[in-house]
Amino acid sequence: MFNKPLLTSPSTPRPLNLHNKIFVMYHTDADNVKPTDECHEVHNVNESDRLVGQLFSSRDQAWYFYKGFVREHGFSTRKGTTRLDVERNVKTQDFCCSKEGFRVSKVNIVDRQRPHTPITRTRCKVRVIITITNTNDQWLISKSYQKDNHALCTPAMTPFMHSNRAVSKADIDEATTLKEVSVGTSQVMNYLTQQAVSYHNVGFTHKDLYNALQRGKAKEIVDGDVNALIAYFDYKKHDDLEFFMTYSVDESGALHNLIWSDSTSRSDYTCFGDIIAFDTTHKDNLYG
């Protein structure tokens, strides 16, 4: 293991109480660790020697192996430069530290209204290079450089680093089922946290879950949001006999007017006699 300072405490945690069980939710970005002067030494030369020469059946297998390696050592990784041969086939692939490189300075730094996001790049040189072999199309770790210039995370914080976070298909399916019965994303996250016993064992953050659910919604409306809406209203007619919907299009075929009502709104109007009319983002979106 690397003999260097570890990130011992994040920003103030917020306790999460779920059915008398206390979980700690950290809002600190585990990848955003400030560099320290003590981290410029070579920590373990044998680490590079242990990596070089290992074979994998695919690039994905090599990627998952190296992600597990860097997780054990308290930092995050990302895919770097890809080199192609004359036939445009991938020849080599770099897996570098997530703090590799540097951020280009912003042009407007005087009248900028929003503050800059924290700088996470430290020009770290840690990387491995995998190369495809001429036999059996296997991938070989040909080079390895394991010398960090930044602090590392404790084992408790490594699950929150970017390369270690992933929402599994099983979690997405379970979250989607709960969303279909009107359970909010925060409540879904709390439920999954309780199932995993600890927030550190979930494997992703609230934002990761939200993004995964949004990507699922985007796939469902491949024919466009308007067509998806009309198809949904047509489906509602089978469940609600009092459901009414009508719409009109303009000369170009774009949606012009749309009105709908269901049994609940009809019942509310009978009882209260009020109508609430609203116009969402009038001339303020991509449709003009």
Side-chain angles (χ1 to χ4, degrees):
M1 296 298 291
F2 293 175
N3 299 319
K4 60 164 58 177
L6 296 177
L7 177 65
T8 56
S9 61
S11 60
T12 304
R14 178 167 62 92
L16 181 63
N17 191 348
L18 296 176
H19 301 286
N20 299 325
K21 294 183 179 180
I22 301 298
F23 300 93
V24 179
M25 182 179 298
Y26 297 100
H27 297 279
T28 301
D29 183 1
D31 293 316
N32 184 19
V33 184
K34 294 181 179 180
T36 58
D37 296 334
E38 294 83 359
C39 298
H40 292 276
E41 57 181 326
V42 177
H43 308 288
N44 193 339
V45 179
N46 294 329
E47 294 291 348
S48 295
D49 296 338
R50 182 166 70 90
L51 293 175
V52 173
Q54 296 210 35
L55 289 171
F56 305 93
S57 60
S58 65
R59 275 195 299 165
D60 289 340
Q61 186 183 32
W63 169 242
Y64 289 124
F65 167 81
Y66 190 64
K67 284 203 302 182
F69 173 84
V70 301
R71 176 169 181 164
E72 292 179 359
H73 292 78
F75 63 99
S76 180
T77 184
R78 60 183 172 86
K79 295 180 180 179
T81 305
T82 301
R83 297 174 181 84
L84 308 178
D85 58 17
V86 293
E87 297 179 355
R88 307 296 295 176
N89 297 318
V90 178
K91 183 179 180 180
T92 63
Q93 170 78 67
D94 291 9
F95 299 147
C96 59
C97 178
S98 60
K99 295 179 179 293
E100 185 269 344
F102 60 93
R103 188 175 72 184
V104 179
S105 60
K106 302 294 183 180
V107 176
N108 181 13
I109 60 175
V110 179
D111 300 328
R112 183 178 176 85
Q113 297 180 356
R114 297 179 60 183
H116 291 289
T117 56
I119 296 178
T120 59
R121 301 294 180 90
T122 63
R123 303 188 184 187
C124 180
K125 300 300 183 182
V126 170
R127 69 180 62 245
V128 295
I129 301 177
I130 62 171
T131 306
I132 190 169
T133 62
N134 295 328
T135 58
N136 301 327
D137 291 334
Q138 290 184 317
W139 290 86
L140 169 73
I141 296 182
S142 56
K143 294 182 180 180
S144 174
Y145 184 80
Q146 305 299 319
K147 181 181 177 181
D148 292 288
N149 65 352
H150 54 84
L152 300 179
C153 289
T154 60
M157 288 296 293
T158 52
F160 301 100
M161 293 188 296
H162 183 72
S163 64
N164 298 330
R165 304 198 311 258
V167 186
S168 66
K169 185 179 184 303
D171 289 327
I172 293 177
D173 293 340
E174 191 168 12
T176 302
T177 302
L178 292 173
K179 292 287 289 184
E180 290 176 352
V181 293
S182 302
V183 179
T185 306
S186 296
Q187 286 71 28
V188 172
M189 188 66 189
N190 292 345
Y191 171 74
L192 296 176
T193 301
Q194 187 177 14
Q195 278 193 324
V197 181
S198 169
Y199 188 75
H200 298 78
N201 298 332
V202 178
F204 50 87
T205 63
H206 179 276
K207 186 63 176 179
D208 296 328
L209 178 61
Y210 176 82
N211 290 338
L213 293 174
Q214 288 299 112
R215 286 192 293 268
K217 290 181 180 179
K219 292 180 181 179
E220 293 178 357
I221 56 174
V222 291
D223 294 330
D225 49 2
V226 174
N227 291 332
L229 175 63
I230 295 175
Y232 174 73
F233 281 165
D234 289 335
Y235 172 77
K236 291 289 292 183
K237 291 180 181 180
H238 299 284
D239 293 339
D240 189 349
L241 298 179
E242 295 188 20
F243 187 88
F244 171 81
M245 180 268 295
T246 185
Y247 64 93
S248 63
V249 296
D250 58 17
E251 297 177 353
S252 63
L255 183 66
H256 187 61
N257 292 306
L258 173 66
I259 185 173
W260 76 91
S261 65
D262 54 15
S263 57
T264 302
S265 61
R266 289 170 181 265
S267 176
D268 291 342
Y269 179 76
T270 302
C271 296
F272 304 104
D274 292 332
I275 296 178
I276 298 177
F278 60 92
D279 185 2
T280 59
T281 62
H282 176 62
K283 290 189 177 180
D284 190 34
N285 53 29
L286 58 89
Y287 301 108

